[in-house]
Amino acid sequence: MTNDPRRGRREGAISLNALRCFAAIVEGGSISRAAEILGLSQPTISVTLTGLERACGTLLLHRRPRLALTDAGQELLARSRLVLGRMDELEETMRQSRDLRRGSIAIGLSTPAHAMPCIAALMAAYPELRVRTRLGNTNGLLEALAACEIEVAIMTLTQPVEGMSCTLLVTQRLIACVPACATRASISLEQLAKGPLVLREPGSMTRAMMEAAFAQHGLSGQIALEVGSREAAREAVAAGIGISVVLDGEAWQDQRLQAVPILGEPIMGGVYAVALPESLDLPAIRAFIGLSRDAVDRAAT
């Protein structure tokens, strides 16, 4: 036997179709019955059997006076049933995965307030699908997507990312978060730049949006404290360390804090479901993005 790269498999290799034909002939008792079982023509079954015998290098079935297994045929039949049984199990496993009756999906999230209703919708629709989550900032999640460490992510972006499939779920604007005792009705960009500011770490989209707005107006924000999570920013503001910024859909419900609009042109961003373009045909990812759109639409009505 020789390898022919143009054919994609070894010359004379035994195929699953050939094993299925062989098993059907034996179980049906004739080539004509095997053709009925498999929905193929009798000549196709005969040619497949001859090819299988050629690949095995031995006669598998006596043709006359009636079909009967040779010793080699007996051995091949036993092994064929084992292989075909395993293949049937594999196909059923893949069918369940395709129907989302098993399997898993890794979902990244930078904005839990928007991501969790989407994840809840997926889990309700497909309770047997195992969901894993990974919390991070936008840059970290984009890196994880590119490395295939997660399969899809709900994150904030100012615009779609080149090379990624980005499905817009909802638009948001940046607002300021101040201590409740500040009693502000609003805040200007200039006042915000004077701080003191409590901002997320580099890689956070809210920080990137704020710094881009400052740069556009020739301002430089006075950062008092850099923190690694929304929760830490919330507690820092409540403790009087400074002012923070959040997206309006993520404003904290905390009596110690007050959310106020930033005056001037709105600083806008969007919450996107982001995935590699080539992964959109995967059933779990396609279902999650569709359900995410529905979940956000329901929340908006």
Side-chain angles (χ1 to χ4, degrees):
M1 298 182 186
T2 60
N3 288 330
D4 184 350
R6 293 170 300 177
R7 298 182 60 181
R9 65 184 181 91
R10 290 184 299 114
E11 183 181 349
I14 297 172
S15 70
L16 286 170
N17 285 338
L19 293 180
R20 285 196 173 97
C21 284
F22 176 64
I25 293 169
V26 175
E27 291 163 7
S30 68
I31 288 176
S32 60
R33 178 59 183 146
E36 293 176 12
I37 292 171
L38 298 176
L40 299 172
S41 66
Q42 291 188 40
T44 297
I45 298 294
S46 296
V47 168
T48 302
L49 176 59
T50 300
L52 178 61
E53 290 179 325
R54 187 180 300 116
C56 293
T58 186
L59 188 70
L60 300 173
L61 284 167
H62 296 297
R63 273 51 164 190
R64 294 184 178 82
R66 59 183 178 81
L67 285 179
L69 285 165
T70 65
D71 290 344
Q74 288 278 8
E75 182 177 0
L76 181 64
L77 179 63
R79 295 180 182 274
S80 295
R81 285 172 171 163
L82 179 62
V83 169
L84 293 174
R86 291 286 186 265
M87 194 62 197
D88 288 343
E89 290 176 6
L90 175 60
E91 289 177 346
E92 176 59 23
T93 296
M94 293 301 99
R95 188 160 39 249
Q96 290 181 1
S97 180
R98 186 174 62 248
D99 296 339
L100 304 184
R101 290 183 286 128
R102 64 176 297 154
S104 65
I105 182 172
I107 301 171
L109 52 145
S110 72
T111 169
H114 288 95
M116 286 305 173
C118 301
I119 292 171
L122 180 71
M123 294 176 68
Y126 302 102
E128 295 172 332
L129 185 67
R130 185 165 60 92
V131 176
R132 295 180 289 113
T133 62
R134 175 168 170 172
L135 183 65
N137 62 38
T138 294
N139 282 359
L141 293 179
L142 288 173
E143 291 174 0
L145 280 168
C148 297
E149 295 169 357
I150 56 176
E151 294 158 282
V152 63
I154 302 294
M155 65 178 72
T156 303
L157 298 170
T158 54
Q159 59 185 4
V161 177
E162 185 177 356
M164 293 283 183
S165 168
C166 302
T167 302
L168 178 64
L169 301 178
V170 63
T171 56
Q172 298 184 104
R173 64 184 295 172
L174 208 61
I175 58 174
C177 182
V178 301
C181 60
T183 62
R184 287 179 179 269
S186 62
I187 189 169
S188 69
L189 203 60
E190 290 76 14
Q191 290 171 323
L192 192 59
K194 291 177 183 178
L197 288 170
V198 175
L199 293 184
R200 291 281 305 278
E201 75 287 354
S204 160
M205 187 51 62
T206 53
R207 176 169 178 161
M209 292 167 66
M210 189 72 270
E211 291 179 337
F214 286 157
Q216 185 179 358
H217 291 81
L219 301 172
S220 178
Q222 302 301 307
I223 301 176
L225 183 65
E226 182 180 288
V227 295
S229 69
R230 285 180 179 81
E231 292 72 21
R234 178 185 64 200
E235 294 304 321
V237 174
I241 293 175
I243 303 169
S244 192
V245 290
V246 293
L247 293 164
D248 56 5
E250 303 168 355
W252 300 304
Q253 301 300 315
D254 191 317
Q255 293 182 351
R256 301 172 298 170
L257 309 175
Q258 178 186 3
V260 298
I262 300 171
L263 298 176
E265 184 178 352
I267 306 168
M268 301 300 296
V271 176
Y272 289 79
V274 183
L276 293 171
E278 56 268 30
S279 69
L280 294 180
D281 287 335
L282 298 178
I285 295 176
R286 186 170 60 246
F288 178 66
I289 292 175
L291 288 167
S292 295
R293 284 196 298 257
D294 294 342
V296 170
D297 288 344
R298 284 196 301 271
T301 58

